[in-house]
């Protein structure tokens, strides 16, 4: 498709709006912002926008994304909280390379339909879901991730699925790379109902 004149008011307005929104936009948000779908597709076809995932676009001129998988998930599934191995990787307290993005959702909520990246969905109780959530900015997008201490408690809770080798490695790297906060670890262990399981391992690291 031939690129229309850059003086096109619709193009200019659309590009300005997308920049103001951080350079990444969903089709539904674009329409709400007054961008016609035809304009969005023309920007895509001309190379001004690239497709991150179905219905998610970003300005090509912005360069590479530091963590595209987390950005896509945060954009497509804004209620999701990055958890378990994906959160360990974000906080750099694991040597594991996640093959899917692990997300926490409320029990009973609808399972997201995402073509990419692959998801591992974990259901949390209301109390466990809301505790220890941090919001980080990645390439202008707000991404919700559990803090390291909450993540470790969650890993102990799901230790049978993850494997204790991954959990214990994460605890070791946490002690080596982060400020060891025993009080917060115990607090989140109580929230996740794994205090009896976690405490001996925590005491052994002191």
């Amino acid at each position: 498709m031939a690129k229309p004149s850059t003086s096109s008011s619709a193009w200019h307005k659309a590009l300005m709006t997308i920049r103001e929104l951080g350079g990444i936009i969903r089709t539904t948000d674009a329409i709400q912002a007054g961008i016609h779908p035809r304009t969005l597709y023309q920007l895509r076809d001309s190379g001004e926008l690239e497709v991150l995932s179905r219905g998610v676009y970003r300005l090509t001129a912005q360069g590479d994304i530091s963590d595209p998988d987390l950005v896509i998930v945060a954009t497509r599934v804004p209620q999701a909280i990055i958890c378990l191995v994906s959160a360990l990787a974000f906080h750099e307290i694991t040597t594991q390379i996640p093959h899917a993005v692990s997300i926490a959702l409320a029990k009973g909520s609808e399972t997201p339909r995402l073509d990419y990246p692959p998801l591992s969905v974990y259901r949390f109780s209301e109390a466990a879901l809301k505790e220890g959530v941090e919001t980080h900015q990645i390439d202008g997008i707000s991404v919700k991730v559990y803090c390291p201490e909450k993540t470790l408690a969650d890993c102990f809770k799901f230790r049978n699925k993850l494997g204790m080798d991954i959990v214990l490695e994460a605890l070791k790297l946490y002690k080596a790379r982060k400020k060891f906060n025993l009080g917060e670890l115990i607090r989140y262990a109580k929230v996740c109902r794994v205090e009896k399981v976690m405490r001996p391992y925590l005491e052994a690291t002191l």
Side-chain angles (χ1 to χ4, degrees):
M1 178 182 290
K3 180 177 178 178
S5 170
T6 54
S7 62
S8 166
S9 60
W11 270 47
H12 179 72
K13 181 181 178 181
L15 289 172
M16 289 292 291
T17 299
I18 297 169
R19 288 192 191 100
E20 290 171 359
L21 294 174
I24 299 174
I25 196 167
R26 296 185 302 173
T27 303
T28 52
D29 295 331
I31 294 171
Q32 290 177 359
I35 300 173
H36 195 283
R38 180 177 61 251
T39 302
L40 201 64
Y41 301 146
Q42 287 176 342
L43 289 169
R44 175 201 64 191
D45 294 341
S46 72
E48 293 281 355
L49 294 178
E50 65 174 317
V51 180
L52 290 183
S53 182
R54 183 178 299 173
V56 182
Y57 303 88
R58 74 181 292 268
L59 293 173
T60 306
Q62 285 195 290
D64 294 334
I65 299 177
S66 59
D67 203 328
D69 289 358
L70 297 192
V71 167
I72 292 170
V73 171
T75 305
R76 292 284 304 275
V77 195
Q79 73 274 24
I81 304 166
I82 307 303
C83 67
L84 298 169
V85 175
S86 294
L88 293 178
F90 178 83
H91 293 298
E92 299 181 341
I93 51 175
T94 186
T95 59
Q96 299 295 311
I97 300 174
H99 299 294
V101 178
S102 297
I103 61 172
L105 293 175
K107 289 182 178 180
S109 61
E110 185 177 351
T111 299
R113 297 179 181 178
L114 208 60
D115 52 342
Y116 183 85
L119 299 177
S120 291
V121 179
Y122 295 84
R123 304 292 178 174
F124 283 46
S125 65
E126 184 176 357
L129 184 71
K130 295 180 178 180
E131 289 282 350
V133 180
E134 298 177 340
T135 301
H136 295 268
Q137 294 296 316
I138 302 178
D139 298 292
I141 299 298
S142 294
V143 180
K144 291 183 288 187
V145 186
Y146 285 119
C147 68
E149 294 79 14
K150 173 60 161 52
T151 299
L152 284 169
D154 288 335
C155 287
F156 271 94
K157 183 174 183 177
F158 290 96
R159 62 193 180 278
N160 292 334
K161 288 186 178 181
L162 302 181
M164 277 303 291
D165 54 334
I166 292 176
V167 179
L168 295 180
E169 181 203 46
L171 182 59
K172 180 181 178 180
L173 291 175
Y174 167 78
K175 184 182 180 183
R177 299 177 179 179
K178 307 289 183 181
K179 181 180 178 181
F180 194 88
N181 192 328
L182 180 61
E184 286 295 276
L185 288 166
I186 293 296
R187 183 168 79 86
Y188 290 122
K190 291 178 179 178
V191 170
C192 296
R193 298 181 179 179
V194 289
E195 182 185 3
K196 289 183 179 179
V197 176
M198 277 186 71
R199 189 177 282 277
Y201 292 101
L202 297 178
E203 292 174 349
T205 63
L206 295 177

